[in-house]
């Protein structure tokens, strides 16, 4: 048996995977979460952080990013292992367990799996302008991991959605100056954030796009162009942050031998797939009566986890009892 064998590995750290991690911790399982993105939260964080969600039990209205934050807090209660920026690529059977290999070459050993991959692995939408690929990670970034990296810098932010506007607002107080370009005159971001942006010292250029990034070893300039007149402006800058949304692909999971219906994994009433010890829950799965909602997805993952528990420990009951009757470690 492999020394680093987990009881359960959850592929996908969106709302469904997060609740699955909490629930598996509650059942005393050794839990790992793998996600391709640099942060947890799935669609809530990646696609609509500033939108209100109105159909979560107990929350008459909650911002998606706040819901994600609380779901992450709940998921971390039993301290699962979290592996970010790893896209699960291959699945192989080893004795009575599984080995998941990710695109970084890391191998994860596990007795059971719950695939909570939503619409698939998210990756930032890339821009094909001159110099962008050459400076990626060294002056050109898809998103922000460490705000301090941009302190005192002249920044160019590209995009018109919530992420672009939020980062412009978040970074101008620490940056030397911030320019935001967007290819349309209207921003997609939350109206209140756009109003705040217009009152801020951020320089806004619309409808402008990025033509090239230049510099000798480090980023020194960007050339942007008005997409109707083609007029160019050269901006002296130190870094570019591209917020162009995400693309999702189920990709490699499709070749794991799972029974599929279109882009979805077929499951039975216990959320079992056709592979032993492999379950699926949330947006990625399908069954009669399927609804793609967070409320139903978290129910599905409870069923999957409880069934997985009863498989790896035949003395364990499928029904765990009520959490209100249990003593839990502090948050
Ligand atoms: C604009 C918008 C508004 C919405 N509003 C609501 C609402 O009000 N109420 C509601 O209930 N639902 C709403 N939804 C739907 C809801 O967001 C989804 O049902 C929910 O996010 C599904 O959760 P999930 O965990 O199954 O998948 P996701 O949230 O998609 O998370 C899946 C995660 O798996 C990761 N992943 C996928 N493949 C791999 C791989 N191979 N390796 C590693 N990681 C991988 C992805 O990177 C992602 O982080 C909305 C959706 C959108 C787009």
């Amino acid at each position: 048996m492999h020394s680093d064998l987990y009881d359960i590995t959850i592929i996908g750290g969106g709302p469904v995977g997060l609740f699955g991690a909490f629930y598996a911790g509650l059942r005393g399982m050794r839990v790992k979460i793998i996600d391709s993105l640099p942060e947890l939260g799935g669609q809530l964080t990646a696609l609509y952080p500033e939108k209100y969600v109105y159909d979560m039990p107990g929350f008459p209205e909650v911002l998606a990013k706040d819901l994600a934050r609380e779901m992450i807090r709940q998921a971390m209660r039993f301290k699962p292992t979290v592996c970010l920026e790893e896209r699960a690529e291959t699945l192989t059977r080893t004795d009575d367990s599984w080995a998941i290999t990710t695109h970084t070459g890391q191998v994860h050993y596990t007795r059971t799996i719950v695939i909570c991959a939503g619409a698939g692995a998210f990756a930032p939408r890339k821009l094909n302008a001159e110099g962008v690929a050459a400076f990626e990670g060294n002056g050109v970034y898809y998103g922000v991991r460490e705000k301090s990296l941009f302190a005192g810098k002249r920044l160019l932010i590209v995009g018109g959605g919530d992420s672009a506007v939020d980062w412009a607002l978040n970074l101008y107080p620490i940056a030397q100056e911030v320019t935001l370009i967007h290819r349309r005159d209207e921003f997609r971001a939350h109206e209140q954030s756009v109003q705040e942006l217009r009152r801020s010292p951020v320089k806004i250029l619309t409808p402008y796009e990025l033509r090239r990034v230049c510099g000798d070893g480090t980023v020194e300039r960007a050339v942007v162009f008005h997409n109707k007149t083609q007029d160019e402006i050269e901006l002296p800058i130190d870094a570019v942050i591209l917020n162009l949304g995400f693309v999702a692909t189920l990709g490699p999971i499709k070749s794991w031998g799972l029974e599929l219906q279109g882009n979805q994994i077929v499951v039975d009433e216990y959320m079992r797939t056709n592979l032993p010890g492999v379950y699926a829950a949330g947006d990625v799965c399908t069954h009669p009566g399927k609804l793609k909602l967070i409320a139903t997805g978290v129910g599905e993952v409870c069923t999957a986890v409880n069934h997985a528990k009863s498989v790896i420990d035949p003395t364990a009951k499928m029904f765990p009892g009520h959490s209100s009757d249990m003593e839990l470690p502090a948050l």
Side-chain angles (χ1 to χ4, degrees):
M1 190 189 287
H2 201 275
S3 61
D4 205 15
L5 183 66
Y6 278 73
D7 292 327
I8 190 160
T9 296
I10 295 178
I11 300 175
V16 174
L18 288 170
F19 199 70
F22 163 74
Y23 220 87
L26 190 76
R27 301 274 354 227
M29 299 167 95
R30 193 164 175 243
V31 188
K32 183 181 274 182
I33 310 176
I34 301 174
D35 201 296
S36 56
L37 286 174
E39 58 180 334
L40 293 167
Q43 294 178 39
L44 292 174
T45 335
L47 298 186
Y48 57 105
E50 299 291 341
K51 286 183 98 130
Y52 277 101
V53 174
Y54 300 101
D55 54 355
M56 288 311 296
F59 291 92
E61 58 180 32
V62 58
L63 274 176
K65 66 178 179 190
D66 294 340
L67 178 61
R69 189 190 60 236
E70 291 306 303
M71 293 195 83
I72 293 166
R73 212 158 76 90
Q74 186 175 39
M76 293 307 124
R77 185 154 207 152
F78 298 98
K79 305 198 173 359
T81 300
V82 179
C83 303
L84 295 175
E85 293 185 275
E86 282 194 56
R87 188 179 61 245
E89 290 276 336
T90 62
L91 180 67
T92 37
R93 190 82 175 144
T94 56
D95 304 325
D96 60 350
S97 58
W98 292 99
I100 302 163
T101 307
T102 63
H103 80 289
T104 59
Q106 197 73 32
V107 186
H108 303 273
Y109 298 95
T110 186
R111 300 174 74 184
T112 61
I113 296 171
V114 191
I115 304 173
C116 301
F122 283 119
R125 194 185 299 279
K126 302 267 170 148
L127 187 71
N128 199 12
E130 199 183 320
V132 165
F135 285 110
E136 190 177 330
N138 175 32
V140 173
Y141 306 93
Y142 289 97
V144 176
R145 290 203 71 181
E146 191 67 59
K147 259 173 78 170
S148 59
L149 189 69
F150 303 104
K153 300 261 170 74
R154 296 163 301 176
L155 305 180
L156 174 66
I157 299 182
V158 183
D162 284 310
S163 301
V165 172
D166 278 1
W167 280 121
L169 291 172
N170 259 283
L171 291 170
Y172 83 76
I174 61 161
Q176 192 186 121
E177 60 178 26
V178 176
T179 305
L180 177 67
I181 63 166
H182 177 39
R183 65 193 167 127
R184 299 190 214 290
D185 287 321
E186 297 300 317
F187 285 90
R188 285 191 321 281
H190 200 248
E191 207 181 297
Q192 219 175 324
S193 317
V194 178
Q195 282 169 7
E196 207 182 318
L197 178 77
R198 296 203 188 279
R199 288 193 300 267
S200 78
V202 173
K203 185 173 166 193
I204 304 167
L205 293 174
T206 62
Y208 272 83
E209 296 183 40
L210 182 62
R211 175 141 288 150
R212 61 181 167 273
V213 181
C214 339
D216 186 9
T218 54
V219 170
E220 293 164 7
R221 295 176 310 283
V223 175
V224 299
F225 67 99
H226 189 289
N227 62 18
K228 295 202 175 88
T229 64
Q230 302 297 312
D231 287 347
E232 291 187 349
I233 305 179
E234 187 172 279
L235 303 166
I237 50 144
D238 305 303
V240 184
I241 302 169
L242 300 159
N243 288 114
L244 308 171
F246 294 89
V247 284
T249 162
L250 201 53
I253 295 178
K254 280 190 147 183
S255 60
W256 290 0
L258 292 155
E259 188 189 337
L260 299 171
Q261 229 171 63
N263 261 331
Q264 286 175 288
I265 302 169
V266 177
V267 291
D268 67 7
E269 68 272 34
Y270 293 111
M271 312 312 294
R272 288 182 295 198
T273 69
N274 57 314
L275 301 181
V278 181
Y279 300 78
D283 279 15
V284 79
C285 77
T286 190
H287 54 78
K290 173 70 192 176
L291 295 173
K292 285 192 187 180
L293 289 172
I294 299 166
T296 48
V298 295
E300 291 170 355
V301 83
C302 286
T303 302
V305 167
N306 282 320
H307 196 272
K309 172 73 182 178
S310 70
V311 166
I312 61 175
D313 176 5
T315 64
K317 291 196 179 104
M318 171 86 181
F319 178 63
H322 297 131
S323 71
S324 51
D325 293 329
M326 300 175 191
E327 278 202 27
L328 267 55
L331 267 175

